[in-house]
Amino acid sequence: MTITQVIEDTKGKIRDLPIQPKLRDILREAGEEAGVDIVRVTSGGQARLGSGGKRTGSTRHDDGNAADLQLEKGGRVLSFADAKQLPTIAKFVTAVASLGATGIGAGVSYMGPHTMHVGFGTKAVWGAGGKSANAPKWLKEAVAAARNRP
């Protein structure tokens, strides 16, 4: 069994607040299920809308309820563009969705080939432009697979 580390690598970023413990647990458990060594959070929590704290974009990251992240295995960052690495990434996505993550975004045209969004909030899956219609097929299938798990 893989012991997965969740590393919050957000120093100096706008979204540099910690993620929620519940989200951290989901990321770690999903990482272990997928055989990932490190889940590296590259964009974490941000101040709640209206609080006056630093923030950017949607409210999904407010109070640490979402993370933009990269998966690492064997010293390499996994890529959606690598067909050999995609099954591991998809397994991670299925696991986070089955463990309670409700907002998942990914795609080469969204945040590049290495970074995905995982968090809570309104149930949605998206890709380029933050649109559900642009979610990659593998992402939609991985999230749908979570519904079929015991």
Side-chain angles (χ1 to χ4, degrees):
M1 181 174 136
T2 301
I3 305 284
T4 300
Q5 290 183 297
V6 177
I7 299 172
E8 295 187 51
D9 192 5
T10 60
K11 187 175 180 178
K13 308 243 174 109
I14 291 173
R15 293 178 176 147
D16 62 354
L17 299 178
I19 60 173
Q20 288 293 320
K22 179 181 176 183
L23 179 57
R24 174 178 271 281
D25 290 345
I26 286 171
L27 298 177
R28 181 192 44 74
E29 190 173 335
E32 289 176 357
E33 197 170 311
V36 171
D37 301 324
I38 297 171
V39 175
R40 186 172 305 277
V41 176
T42 59
S43 181
Q46 68 181 3
R48 178 182 291 277
L49 183 64
S51 71
K54 64 182 178 177
R55 55 173 295 109
T56 188
S58 80
T59 58
R60 286 190 179 269
H61 285 261
D62 289 9
D63 298 324
N65 283 310
D68 296 339
L69 58 92
Q70 297 178 345
L71 305 176
E72 299 177 24
K73 184 173 180 172
R76 294 186 348 199
V77 176
L78 301 184
S79 172
F80 316 137
D82 186 331
K84 292 179 183 170
Q85 295 175 359
L86 207 47
T88 300
I89 297 167
K91 189 171 185 177
F92 176 84
V93 169
T94 298
V96 294
S98 70
L99 292 167
T102 53
I104 304 170
V108 174
S109 297
Y110 175 51
M111 288 192 289
H114 304 105
T115 306
M116 72 174 72
H117 172 101
V118 175
F120 304 121
T122 306
K123 195 176 254 189
V125 177
W126 63 88
K131 299 183 189 290
S132 294
N134 296 335
K137 183 179 179 196
W138 68 263
L139 182 63
K140 291 177 187 176
E141 289 174 350
V143 171
R147 287 185 238 129
N148 301 324
R149 288 177 58 153

